[in-house]
Amino acid sequence: MNYFTQYTAAERYSKARPNFHPNTINRIKEYLLIENKFDSALDIACGTGLSTRALLSIATHVYGTDNSKVMLDVALQKENINYQEAQAEKQPFADHFFDLITVCSGVHWFDIDKFLLEANRLLKSNSFVVLYDNLFLGEMDGYPEFKNWYNAVYLNEFPAPARNDKYNWANDKLNRMNFDIVNEQKFNNAISFNKKELGLYFTTQSNIISAVEKKQVSYTEADIWLNKELSIFFANEDKREIVHFANWIKYLKKRQ
């Protein structure tokens, strides 16, 4: 099921997702030793374009695809980026066209074997698919009880929907799709939110979006619930608190 096809979800996504992507792209640039910009880079499952816009620092021609038209309708910097609607496993580009493919926070929704076969078709020899994510840890500076609230209260109220998060990334499997996994990086991002911003961010998670899609709750009801619950941690609504995300990056290199 695609949880990101409704305009309300896309609009909230465009307003509330933290822009950690330049930090990640800088790490990718350092690891791949990118001195001159790539000619072309593709961001698959680009959403509203935060991850796509970050590629402008390392590629001359940037493309973004997503299977949600409404996400693309509110995407960023359309004058500099070629956006197209497409499934991750079936892209509208010629063979061996790209120097780099990235996927941010999306690969767990794919048929990953089919996606990798398509990425192999699209990439030039010895080029990379770089997968990365920014996972909410449920940790807030100065409030150790926030983690218990997140795990015991929030996730009980809004469980995460099923996703493909058990994929075997071992090379003996990836080699069949003509890739080697050559490196993985893990680090944390600290992001500041006020109460309203953090509540809005939660409504962009598939946890709440799936509940809205199933008509278990409305966005208005979710907003009211979050405003009440988060008041425990925000006595001053305008005060910014630091919450932590776990970022990982996987580098998959195409074989010749």
Side-chain angles (χ1 to χ4, degrees), residues 8-232:
T8 303
E11 188 177 38
R12 286 171 176 261
Y13 204 95
S14 69
K15 293 177 179 178
R17 283 278 159 158
N19 187 20
F20 65 90
H21 308 82
N23 176 37
T24 304
I25 295 300
N26 282 336
R27 289 173 181 266
I28 294 168
K29 181 179 181 180
E30 290 175 3
Y31 177 74
L32 296 182
L33 302 176
I34 302 171
E35 295 182 358
N36 300 308
K37 285 187 175 184
F38 289 127
D39 178 64
S40 58
L42 170 63
D43 186 36
I44 295 179
C46 67
T48 60
L50 278 171
S51 53
T52 321
R53 182 173 63 179
L55 287 175
L56 292 169
S57 67
I58 60 170
T60 302
H61 302 102
V62 174
Y63 299 76
T65 62
D66 201 279
N67 66 352
S68 170
K69 181 180 181 301
V70 296
M71 285 285 188
L72 298 176
D73 285 344
V74 297
L76 300 163
Q77 291 193 228
K78 294 182 182 179
E79 67 277 10
N80 298 321
I81 299 167
N82 183 319
Y83 287 109
Q84 297 190 46
E85 184 179 355
Q87 298 283 336
E89 303 84 359
K90 189 175 182 180
Q91 295 287 303
F93 305 106
D95 295 356
H96 317 305
F97 187 76
F98 291 103
D99 300 288
L100 176 71
I101 293 174
T102 58
V103 180
C104 171
S105 304
V107 73
H108 49 265
W109 303 120
F110 299 173
D111 181 321
I112 297 176
D113 285 350
K114 290 182 179 179
F115 158 70
L116 290 174
L117 290 171
E118 182 71 338
N120 176 59
R121 179 185 73 80
L122 294 169
L123 281 172
K124 300 171 184 177
S125 294
N126 297 312
S127 296
F128 285 83
V129 171
V130 180
L131 312 172
Y132 65 100
D133 208 340
N134 202 48
L135 304 171
F136 190 79
L137 289 174
E139 297 176 359
M140 180 184 288
D141 286 357
Y143 292 91
E145 63 272 26
F146 182 79
K147 190 173 186 67
N148 182 66
W149 173 85
Y150 178 72
N151 290 318
V153 179
Y154 174 75
L155 291 181
N156 182 64
E157 186 76 14
F158 299 106
R163 62 195 67 203
N164 187 6
D165 56 1
K166 303 299 182 184
Y167 189 79
N168 177 14
W169 294 100
N171 273 326
D172 59 352
K173 182 171 185 178
L174 294 175
N175 291 168
R176 298 199 290 271
M177 270 71 74
N178 203 34
F179 285 98
D180 290 301
I181 187 164
V182 296
N183 191 37
E184 295 185 62
Q185 297 173 331
K186 294 183 179 180
F187 54 97
N188 285 1
N189 282 320
I191 310 289
S192 70
F193 292 92
N194 62 30
K195 186 174 77 166
K196 183 177 179 180
E197 290 168 344
L198 184 56
L200 189 59
Y201 166 76
F202 276 126
T203 68
T204 70
Q205 291 186 332
S206 56
N207 307 50
I208 289 181
I209 294 173
S210 65
V212 171
E213 291 292 314
K214 295 172 184 175
K215 302 190 183 305
Q216 297 169 345
V217 69
S218 69
Y219 280 117
T220 298
E221 290 168 336
D223 288 336
I224 292 170
W225 185 86
L226 286 162
N227 182 64
K228 178 182 176 182
E229 291 291 325
L230 292 174
S231 293
I232 303 168

